[in-house]
Amino acid sequence: MRIDGSCHCGYITFEGEADPEKAGICHCTDCQTSTGSAFRTNVPVPGNAFRMLSGEPAIYVKTTAESGNPRAQAFCPKCGTPIYSTTPGDGPKPSYMVRVGTLRQREQFVPKKQNWFRSAQPWLAALADIPKNAKQG
Amino acid sequence: MRIDGGCHCGFIAYEGEADPETAAICHCTDCQKLSGSAFRTVVPVQDSDFRMTGGKPTIYVKTGDSGNKRQQAFCPQCGSPIFSAAPGDGPKVYMIRVGTIRQRDQFAPKVQVWARSKQHWTNDLAAMRSVEKQP
Ligand SMILES: [Zn+2]
Ligand SMILES: [Zn+2]
Ligand SMILES: [Zn+2]
Ligand SMILES: [Zn+2]
């Protein structure tokens, strides 16, 4: 389906094509630190279907993957919103792992799979039982 | 308890004192966007207990629905979100992003705020297919 998204401040905007069946969670410790949250949510967008509409993301090349593969992490230089990861360097990319929280259509991207589950935060399994406030408590 | 943490690239480092009983999830749409994920996890640290021990974060000031302004601090080199705080000078409470804390395993959230914009599938993680690493 068609997607479009942006960072929080609006400097970065993009559009593309993504399959909701491919949405996933990543529980790896790199994603915990880089989101500041418990996990990351991603969906792949084929390189030829992804288009930046505005702004130029800052790129951080992380080299801590267990595989040793470097990975470019794109974020907004003005507001810090994580946008995607991809293979480093110039030239066409096979795909972009877009951060689902930045998508306008994010409600439609229910993750289907949890990767790196061995480092998942254990409390996530019982999230439904944590007391809730509709707004701020 | 004592905490210490930092961004992914190591440029930003901090230490402080935080109470695991005050850890929380925020499901607001700002947090969904700014984390790029489904929600954010936070814990407050008092000004007097908080010390930055590394580089200087970039500050983005967001204006909430309420009109309240809020500083969002992130690493300029790797983008990791670090904390939010009230703008301006004077003593603050820093809402630290739990994912950046080395002791994060000990900060299980005790409350979910802004549940009205919650991504509902987050209730069903125990039933979702999982793999130990990456396939
Ligand atoms: Zn931005
Ligand atoms: Zn990951
Ligand atoms: Zn950093
Ligand atoms: Zn929030």
Side-chain angles (χ1 to χ4, degrees):
Chain A
M1 60 175 280
R2 296 297 302 164
I3 54 160
D4 61 274
S6 68
C7 66
H8 189 274
C9 76
Y11 171 66
I12 306 258
T13 56
F14 61 86
E15 61 180 20
E17 190 78 39
D19 178 358
E21 292 303 308
K22 295 192 172 143
I25 288 175
C26 187
H27 292 287
C28 84
T29 56
D30 284 347
C31 285
Q32 291 172 1
T33 306
S34 300
T35 60
S37 190
F39 55 76
R40 210 197 276 283
T41 50
N42 290 308
V43 71
V45 175
N48 58 12
F50 183 76
R51 203 156 71 91
M52 292 294 289
L53 300 175
S54 70
E56 175 122 28
I59 302 291
Y60 165 56
V61 179
K62 109 176 151 71
T63 53
T64 51
E66 201 179 82
S67 62
N69 291 338
R71 188 94 185 141
Q73 313 275 323
F75 62 97
C76 173
K78 299 180 193 274
C79 72
T81 301
I83 310 295
Y84 62 76
S85 68
T86 191
T87 43
D90 296 330
K93 314 284 186 190
S95 91
Y96 294 84
M97 287 301 275
V98 174
R99 307 339 190 170
V100 173
T102 65
L103 298 182
R104 192 161 60 86
Q105 300 82 5
R106 60 184 173 266
E107 309 268 353
Q108 291 171 63
F109 287 80
V110 176
K112 298 297 183 294
K113 189 171 172 208
Q114 310 183 68
N115 288 322
W116 291 98
F117 195 70
R118 67 175 188 185
S119 48
Q121 294 288 312
W123 52 265
L124 285 167
L127 192 135
D129 301 330
I130 302 174
K132 288 188 270 302
N133 298 325
K135 297 177 140 195
Q136 190 93 40
Chain B
M1 58 175 282
R2 295 298 301 164
I3 58 164
D4 61 275
C7 66
H8 189 275
C9 76
F11 177 66
I12 306 268
Y14 61 81
E15 56 182 29
E17 190 78 37
D19 177 359
E21 292 303 308
T22 59
I25 289 175
C26 185
H27 292 287
C28 84
T29 56
D30 284 346
C31 284
Q32 291 172 2
K33 180 80 85 174
L34 283 161
S35 68
S37 189
F39 55 74
R40 215 199 270 283
T41 49
V42 296
V43 72
V45 174
Q46 301 300 319
D47 206 334
S48 55
D49 294 330
F50 184 68
R51 204 159 67 90
M52 298 288 292
T53 56
K56 200 163 134 39
T58 299
I59 302 292
Y60 165 58
V61 178
K62 97 173 162 76
T63 306
D65 288 346
S66 59
N68 285 346
K69 292 193 188 310
R70 192 94 188 139
Q71 291 185 342
Q72 310 281 323
F74 64 96
C75 173
Q77 315 205 344
C78 72
S80 300
I82 309 296
F83 62 76
S84 68
D89 296 330
K92 317 182 178 209
V93 177
Y94 294 88
M95 291 301 278
I96 306 291
R97 300 1 187 155
V98 174
T100 65
I101 301 176
R102 190 163 58 89
Q103 300 81 4
R104 60 185 173 264
D105 288 357
Q106 292 171 63
F107 287 81
K110 299 298 183 293
V111 65
Q112 309 181 65
V113 301
W114 293 100
R116 69 175 188 186
S117 48
K118 177 173 177 161
Q119 299 283 314
H120 288 287
W121 54 262
T122 57
N123 282 335
D124 307 318
L125 282 168
M128 192 184 296
R129 191 157 68 98
S130 62
V131 293
E132 287 302 292
K133 297 176 144 198
Q134 189 97 35

